Amino acid sequence: MSTYLYGGQVQANGIRQHYLRYGGKGQPLILVPGITSPAITWGFVAQRLGEQFDTYVLDVRGRGLSASGPALAYDTDTCADDIIAFASALGLAGYHLVGHSMGARFILRAATRHPAAAIERLVLIDPPVSGPGRREYPGKLPWYVDSIRQSMTGMSAEDMLAFCPTWSVEQRALRAEWLHTCFEPAIVQALEEFHSVDIHGDFPVLRQPALLMVAGKGGVILPEDEAELRALQPALSISHAPHAGHMIPWDDFDGFFAALGTFLGPSFC
């Protein structure tokens, strides 16, 4: 039985923010996807989360059905502020934040910029740990830009095969359908800020319990990165999805929930 309830829009932090809601019962949970992932592409994960949480999946500004275009700012701090404003606009309290890749960086910054926010726990799913003077993020700009530009003229699941060769037909079809909603300048800025914005300084001041989920085959977070982050935040929990690349639930759905474990309370295993 589906846990999907509805999609909605709310005015928060001065923009229209679109979201999808699943479950409707239990503790609130806000899921923030990655750099070119509109909310709908995380629906298969939210469907499962909605069995135990009141789950809201955000369209980050410049993606999906949220506000977009050249008049908006797309920097890390602004996007982090969007999350807190979204929760406030809906009257959410005692909520969890779950973020993937770019979304993980945004929720971490949201928690440290707004220490009084009613955030309970954070799940940081394979966040880029690049930054000034650090190792580059494995994903390169042409992969994003070329696929976005092709999507503007229409793409099929077969077309998407060149960019996502390990994904299922259904996964590729959904990405092909929605990728055109990703505003290219927002994507370019986000990727640039993976290298110009250092999130390591956020870890020592993080007040909430946090789980760092590492993709075993992603190449984004290496053992030395884990050690550095644990040194910066000794209370940090770390789990692994050993059989998955960076897009963990796409590669290993059960492995994703195994890595989540009981960190948020209930177990999905």
Side-chain angles (χ1 to χ4, degrees):
M1 182 178 179
S2 176
T3 63
Y4 174 71
L5 296 177
Y6 56 83
Q9 306 199 53
V10 65
Q11 184 75 9
N13 200 27
I15 66 166
R16 183 190 73 255
Q17 296 194 45
H18 175 261
Y19 64 94
L20 302 175
R21 189 179 185 187
Y22 293 76
K25 298 179 180 179
Q27 192 168 13
L29 182 153
I30 301 173
L31 173 59
V32 184
I35 187 168
T36 53
S37 295
I40 195 169
T41 64
W42 275 80
F44 71 112
V45 178
Q47 166 74 23
R48 183 83 170 268
L49 290 170
E51 294 173 3
Q52 301 189 40
F53 294 99
D54 185 11
T55 302
Y56 300 80
V57 192
L58 283 186
D59 268 330
V60 176
R61 61 169 65 201
R63 290 108 175 141
L65 299 181
S66 285
S68 186
L72 299 184
Y74 296 99
D75 60 281
T76 297
D77 288 350
T78 297
C79 293
D81 292 347
D82 282 348
I83 299 166
I84 303 302
F86 172 81
S88 178
L90 291 183
L92 304 182
Y95 53 90
H96 299 312
L97 292 178
V98 177
H100 173 248
S101 192
M102 177 196 74
R105 291 169 64 96
F106 287 174
I107 68 168
L108 177 63
R109 182 58 56 87
T112 58
R113 275 176 63 83
H114 302 272
I119 303 167
E120 291 284 329
R121 290 179 170 240
L122 290 84
V123 178
L124 308 169
I125 306 167
D126 218 40
V129 291
S130 45
R134 295 181 177 274
R135 183 181 73 254
E136 286 191 2
Y137 178 64
K140 304 305 178 186
L141 183 61
W143 187 89
Y144 299 100
V145 171
D146 291 352
S147 58
I148 290 171
R149 291 180 181 177
Q150 187 172 343
S151 74
M152 293 297 178
T153 61
M155 289 185 80
S156 66
E158 185 67 21
D159 296 328
M160 190 58 70
L161 189 61
F163 298 95
C164 306
T166 64
W167 289 20
S168 71
V169 173
E170 292 78 14
Q171 291 167 347
R172 297 197 314 268
L174 191 61
R175 183 170 178 81
E177 179 185 0
W178 283 87
L179 188 60
H180 75 93
T181 68
C182 293
F183 183 53
E184 184 178 319
I187 307 311
V188 171
Q189 181 169 353
L191 189 64
E192 190 277 327
E193 291 198 6
F194 286 177
H195 302 93
S196 64
V197 175
D198 195 339
I199 63 168
H200 291 71
D202 292 272
F203 281 91
V205 296
L206 183 63
R207 298 183 178 185
Q208 296 89 351
L211 171 68
L212 177 69
M213 186 184 298
V214 179
K217 297 181 178 180
V220 174
I221 300 174
L222 302 180
E224 54 265 35
D225 300 315
E226 294 182 37
E228 181 181 7
L229 296 179
R230 176 67 62 70
L232 290 171
Q233 178 51 262
L236 182 68
S237 298
I238 300 178
S239 68
H240 298 84
H243 306 298
H246 182 57
M247 303 296 286
I248 296 177
W250 278 255
D251 292 342
D252 187 358
F253 184 75
D254 291 335
F256 170 79
F257 283 97
L260 183 60
T262 59
F263 179 75
L264 297 180
S267 172
F268 291 90
C269 300

